[in-house]
Amino acid sequence: MDLVPELKVLLSRDQIAKRVAEMAQQISADFAGQSIIFVGVLKGAAIFLSDLARQVPLDATFDFIGVSSYGNRPIAAEDPAGHAAWDSSGEVRLTKDLDQSMTGRNVILVEDILDTGLTLNYIQKLLLAHQPKTLRIAALLDKPSRRKQPIQAQYIGFSIPDAYVVGYGLDYAEKYRNLPDICVIQNP
Ligand code: IMP
Ligand code: MG
């Protein structure tokens, strides 16, 4: 029999909305009078990107990048989707490349959560190879205690403790992305 996972709200939809609005204001001020491109990391950043970008009244376009990472999951079991949920290699693989060139652009890389830092380090290198005018990182969540590779994010929504969270785009085995609040998942 499946255990029903227990979900406990860590960040409510109101707290998230307030913070995302503040981040949007900061980005709007920093890039006033300039054009920007939001690059979302699939799939977790999709909801954050759409809420953030709609509050940035600048000349803006979107692109998306897809990566699959190993070594960043705290759950040492195979997930219900059949993915190997844990691996120590720390390998990041590109599953969807950018559609456009980032050369000379103001790039805001939008990510749901900054955990070990491996994913963003990989994507940052890939983006820097395009020689953008500027590259900044906006991460809704940060788990600093889990960091394995240093990474500088200019816009961080919330710093959270080392717990597995779902909702507002974040998944466990592809589920729970549609929850409006960010919840800690127990006995997944
Ligand atoms: P990093 O490479 O370890 O920094 O991992 C970043 C990626 O791991 C994120 O884009 C998420 O997809 C995933 N991740 C890390 N922690 C969590 C979590 O608590 N919930 C859901 N996904 C997570
Ligand atoms: Mg992700």
Side-chain angles (χ1 to χ4, degrees), residues 126-137:
L126 194 144
L127 285 169
L128 286 173
H130 284 240
Q131 299 187 298
K133 182 176 173 204
T134 54
L135 173 60
R136 294 206 175 169
I137 295 174

Side-chain angles (χ1 to χ4, degrees), residues 73-80 83-86 172:
R73 295 215 172 195
I75 298 142
E78 197 166 278
D79 68 37
H83 302 121
W86 191 87
Y172 172 71

Side-chain angles (χ1 to χ4, degrees), residues 41-44 111-112:
V41 184
L42 294 171
K43 305 168 202 162
E111 176 62 309
D112 51 6

Side-chain angles (χ1 to χ4, degrees), residues 67-119:
V67 290
S68 153
S69 32
Y70 310 94
N72 62 357
R73 295 215 172 195
I75 298 142
E78 197 166 278
D79 68 37
H83 302 121
W86 191 87
D87 184 289
S88 61
S89 68
E91 184 189 327
V92 181
R93 194 169 52 88
L94 191 67
T95 57
K96 189 216 161 281
D97 203 350
L98 298 161
D99 292 331
Q100 305 153 57
S101 166
M102 300 294 140
T103 307
R105 320 273 308 262
N106 292 313
V107 179
I108 316 256
L109 179 55
V110 182
E111 176 62 309
D112 51 6
I113 186 165
L114 184 47
D115 188 32
T116 63
L118 297 172
T119 305

Side-chain angles (χ1 to χ4, degrees), residues 136-167:
R136 294 206 175 169
I137 295 174
L140 180 65
L141 305 176
D142 183 18
K143 284 198 262 191
S145 64
R146 298 249 315 153
R147 202 77 84 250
K148 285 184 189 161
Q149 280 183 8
I151 183 108
Q152 204 65 39
Q154 288 73 28
Y155 310 104
I156 288 180
F158 302 92
S159 201
I160 63 166
D162 180 12
Y164 200 84
V165 289
V166 295

